[in-house]
Amino acid sequence: MPVIAITSPKGGVGKTTLAAHLAAHIAAQGWKVVALDLDPQNALRLHLGLSIREESGVMAQLSESTDWQAAMLDTPFGVQLLPFGNADPVDALDGYAAIMEDPGLLAHPLREIAQRPDTVVLLDTPPGPNPATAALLPLIDLTVLVLLTDGGSAAMIPRIADHSFMGRSATARRAAERAVVVLNQYDPEAPLAEAVLQMAERSLGGRLFGTIRRDEAVAEALADKQLLLDDDTPAAQDIHAFAEAVIREARLRKPGRRGGFSALAEWGG
Ligand SMILES: Nc1ncnc2c1ncn2[C@@H]1O[C@H](COP(=O)(O)OP(=O)(O)OP(=O)(O)O)[C@@H](O)[C@H]1O
Ligand SMILES: [Mg+2]
């Protein structure tokens, strides 16, 4: 079953927010979802309703003897979470160095998990280039690239359009070719946002999945340990359509059924 990565060259764009919502949305439809946090900020656990005191994780002390099954935490949203873990910065760098030395440390156990029936693996990644995402590139079936509708994001669009943003290797280009883009924190009233959206539409065509509106309800839900799943707020509506579009793009079939895509909603840019 597919491995879906939520990535961005930029920080603070909503990767973790969208990873948590996407994981919960897919789990609610009957798939087994395993979410892996590759970011030393270790924030995905908070978005998935776990306590700030939960400090366990796989990435902080990654080794060949890591017990991945034992490390999985149940979350209130039906998602199985593999947190990064609470890592001292030096330990996090050591972990990354170990992955650069031996990408299989991460890729082999992840491949085994992804091969389980009806299981979808979601990756929340740190911003920009990093050894963990690089190690998993050959396994990633769908990259969801999150950007904003600001000048910094607009500057990155040409490299996304020509598939060079993940690097020059054949694996990186293949992953980039399969990437789709979502523009988060979109304000339809802002002229700059509108201009960036139009540029993205022109440059990316059908690879631009759409926009998710800026909405205070997103931060409020996080503070309440909730996700905007069945809500009626602007961001909740957009996130729902985004999740359906990802299900369709990843060609997820209804668990236990053969044939037929499960995504029902059409969602244009
Ligand atoms: N659609 C939205 N409307 C309003 N606020 C949003 C929206 N999406 C995300 N946010 C807010 O933006 C901030 C950054 O979100 P998040 O932590 O998910 O980004 P990130 O890309 O994972 O950041 P980092 O690069 O640090 O990992 C959070 O405060 C979040 O609540
Ligand atoms: Mg994040």
Side-chain angles (χ1 to χ4, degrees):
M1 293 291 284
V3 177
I4 302 172
I6 314 294
T7 69
S8 183
K10 281 171 75 72
V13 294
K15 294 180 295 297
T16 306
T17 303
L18 295 182
H21 281 85
L22 188 56
H25 187 95
I26 296 174
Q29 301 208 9
W31 284 280
K32 295 183 189 121
V33 179
V34 176
L36 170 60
D37 190 349
L38 297 175
D39 188 338
Q41 292 182 77
N42 198 25
L44 187 57
R45 75 197 201 288
L46 305 177
H47 289 251
L48 286 170
L50 300 188
S51 164
I52 196 158
R53 288 184 292 279
E54 175 58 66
E55 296 192 335
S56 70
V58 271
M59 296 291 292
Q61 259 106 34
L62 189 62
S63 76
E64 273 173 9
S65 58
T66 297
D67 185 341
W68 287 67
Q69 191 55 44
M72 283 193 200
L73 303 180
D74 288 326
T75 69
F77 302 103
V79 175
Q80 297 261 284
L81 174 66
L82 289 163
F84 191 98
N86 185 23
D88 174 271
V90 175
D91 291 342
L93 290 175
D94 283 348
Y96 276 174
I99 292 169
M100 286 194 79
E101 181 84 10
D102 177 10
L105 265 185
L106 187 54
H108 293 159
L110 234 279
R111 180 179 290 126
E112 268 180 32
I113 292 169
Q115 282 169 347
R116 295 178 188 171
D118 293 339
T119 299
V120 178
V121 175
L122 261 172
L123 308 175
D124 182 27
T125 68
N130 65 87
T133 313
L136 295 178
L137 263 190
L139 296 187
I140 294 173
D141 298 291
L142 177 64
T143 301
V144 177
L145 197 69
V146 186
L147 290 175
L148 305 178
T149 44
D150 63 0
S153 295
M156 290 167 183
I157 288 174
R159 292 194 59 221
I160 296 167
D162 74 8
H163 305 143
S164 65
F165 74 97
M166 290 174 103
R168 287 184 299 271
S169 73
T171 312
R173 283 194 78 88
R174 262 198 310 278
E177 280 163 17
R178 287 195 300 266
V180 296
V181 177
V182 61
L183 302 178
N184 190 26
Q185 305 190 27
Y186 169 60
D187 175 0
E189 305 293 320
L192 174 63
E194 208 49 47
V196 175
L197 174 59
Q198 282 176 17
M199 178 204 171
E201 279 171 343
R202 274 198 311 276
S203 307
L204 301 172
R207 294 171 57 222
L208 177 64
F209 253 30
T211 54
I212 295 171
R213 279 167 285 179
R214 182 192 299 279
D215 184 347
E216 282 308 306
V218 173
E220 287 165 10
L222 175 61
D224 270 349
K225 292 193 172 183
Q226 294 301 321
L227 293 172
L228 300 175
L229 290 177
D230 299 314
D231 304 56
D232 204 23
T233 72
Q237 292 170 8
D238 295 344
I239 289 171
H240 184 94
F242 159 69
E244 288 294 320
V246 170
I247 287 172
R248 188 170 61 244
E249 183 74 19
R251 292 178 152 68
L252 295 186
R253 295 161 199 269
K254 270 285 177 215
R257 255 196 238 159
R258 291 187 168 274
F261 297 156
S262 63
L264 301 173
E266 281 297 320
W267 190 39

